Each structure stands twice: as C-alpha cells, then as structure tokens.
Amino acid sequence: MSLSKAKKQRLKVAREGKRNPESSRSPFALQDLSTKRTKTKKEQLYREKHKNHSRDGGKDGSFYFAS
C-alpha cells in the first residue's frame, strides 16, 4: 500500500529532526472508548416475552391422539 500525503509529510519532518506530530497525539486517540452495558430489566423481559413463540403458531405438523 502507498502512504498518504499527510503521512509522507510527517515522516519527512521526523527525518529532518523536528518533532513528529504523531507523538503529541492524545493516548486516547487510538483506544476504543465504547462501553459495554448489561441489558435493562425492560430489555431482558422483552427478550423473554417472545421466547417460546414460534412463527407458525405451534402448527409444526405433529399431532396427538388421546384414547
């Protein structure tokens, strides 16, 4: 892959002995700051609400004879 124009400029500045702008970036710039969270009570109840419902309404072709 080729280097971007900005990266070429950064490398040239670093070669000339000047300060590299990458080193002055925030330590949080490359971190994933999204947080994981647990489901709320409402989300959990909604998930369980449809747990045993099948799409075909329970008509799976099986039958039962009581004698």
Side-chain angles (χ1 to χ4, degrees), residues 45-57:
L45 288 172
Y46 185 76
R47 187 179 70 100
E48 291 176 4
K49 178 179 173 183
H50 302 290
K51 194 171 194 176
N52 294 323
H53 295 202
S54 60
R55 291 185 183 269
D56 58 357

Side-chain angles (χ1 to χ4, degrees), residues 4-17:
S4 68
K5 193 173 188 179
K7 184 152 189 161
K8 285 180 189 176
Q9 288 176 345
R10 287 194 301 268
L11 291 173
K12 182 180 178 186
V13 169
R15 270 197 318 268
E16 293 172 353

Side-chain angles (χ1 to χ4, degrees), residues 7-63:
K7 184 152 189 161
K8 285 180 189 176
Q9 288 176 345
R10 287 194 301 268
L11 291 173
K12 182 180 178 186
V13 169
R15 270 197 318 268
E16 293 172 353
K18 297 178 184 169
R19 182 174 170 84
N20 188 351
E22 285 182 336
S23 61
S24 61
R25 283 186 184 158
S26 169
F28 300 103
L30 301 174
Q31 291 183 357
D32 182 23
L33 298 177
S34 63
T35 58
K36 293 184 178 182
R37 61 179 182 85
T38 57
K39 292 184 188 280
T40 62
K41 184 176 181 181
K42 188 173 184 179
E43 290 170 336
Q44 188 70 21
L45 288 172
Y46 185 76
R47 187 179 70 100
E48 291 176 4
K49 178 179 173 183
H50 302 290
K51 194 171 194 176
N52 294 323
H53 295 202
S54 60
R55 291 185 183 269
D56 58 357
K59 299 176 183 151
D60 57 355
S62 62
F63 51 91

